[in-house]
Amino acid sequence: FQRVLDFCLRHQKVLGYSAVSLLTASSERIFSVVVFKCPCNSWNLLYGSIFLLVPALILFLLGLLLSTRCWKVLTGCCAPGRLSRCSHSSRICRYLKVLWLVVVGAAVAPLTWIAMALLDGQFYECAASGIAIMQGYLCQGKGSQCLKEMLQVPCGGSSSQEVQDLLMSLHAESQVMGWILISSVTMLSLILTCISR
C-alpha cells in the first residue's frame, strides 16, 4: 500500500491530468449520444459549432476558476514579501511563467473535449454540412441535388451512395483533424518538456 501511495504522490500531476482527461472524454461521449441531435437544416453550422466549442470554453474557464495559482497571480498575492525585493522585470517574468503553467493546466480538459469530439465526428459533420464553402467543395461536379441533400447528410436521411460518400468524407475530415490536434499537442508537450529540462 505504501508503494502505491508513494507512486500517487510522486505522479500526482500526471494522474490528475489523466483523470480530468478520462472524465472529459466520458462526458463528451455521453453528451454526444444523449443530448446531441443535429437539426439537419440551416442551423447545422451554429448547432454543431456550439456543441464542439462551447463546452471546451466552459471547461477552460472552469479550469482557470478552480486554479489557486491563477487567483494568486491575478490578485497579486504571489509571495508579496519576496516579490517586492525582486526587480519589476523579474516579477513580470515570474507572473508570466506561473500564468503559462495555469493556462496549460486549464487547457487539458478543453483540448481533450475537442479531440474526442473530432474523433467521434458527429459535431463536426453537423457543423461542416452547414458551411456553404464546404457544400460547394464536397458537391463539386455532383449536381444541384447534392447541395439540397447536404444539410440532411448528418441525419442519414438518405440512402443514396452520394450522400453516404459525403458523410464518409466529413467523418474522415473530422478524424484527421482530431489526430492532428492530438499529435500537435503531444509534440508541443514533448518540445516544451525538453526545453524546460
Side-chain angles (χ1 to χ4, degrees), residues 37 67 157:
K37 303 284 184 246
S67 171

Side-chain angles (χ1 to χ4, degrees), residues 42-125:
S42 61
W43 285 88
N44 283 12
L45 174 60
L46 182 63
Y47 191 80
S49 299
I50 285 174
F51 272 82
L52 182 63
L53 300 175
V54 170
L57 176 64
I58 291 169
L59 288 169
F60 181 71
L61 294 175
L62 277 174
L64 291 177
L65 182 69
L66 297 175
S67 171
T68 55
R69 281 176 137 181
C70 179
W71 288 109
K72 285 181 181 179
V73 169
L74 293 178
T75 59
C77 299
C78 202
R82 205 174 57 181
L83 286 179
S84 62
R85 291 179 288 199
C86 299
S87 68
H88 184 67
S89 62
S90 174
R91 194 175 329 151
I92 289 174
C93 287
R94 188 170 296 168
Y95 280 148
L96 290 176
K97 182 180 179 184
V98 172
L99 197 58
W100 168 254
L101 293 172
V102 167
V103 168
V104 168
V108 170
L111 288 173
T112 302
W113 176 275
I114 292 173
M116 293 304 297
L118 287 172
L119 289 176
D120 180 46
Q122 286 184 344
F123 302 154
Y124 177 80
E125 290 167 10

Side-chain angles (χ1 to χ4, degrees), residues 165-187:
D165 290 345
L166 291 173
L167 185 61
M168 293 290 282
S169 294
L170 291 175
H171 195 74
E173 286 174 15
S174 181
Q175 288 184 331
V176 166
M177 285 191 284
W179 283 113
I180 288 172
L181 177 65
I182 290 170
S183 60
S184 299
V185 168
T186 304
M187 292 290 289

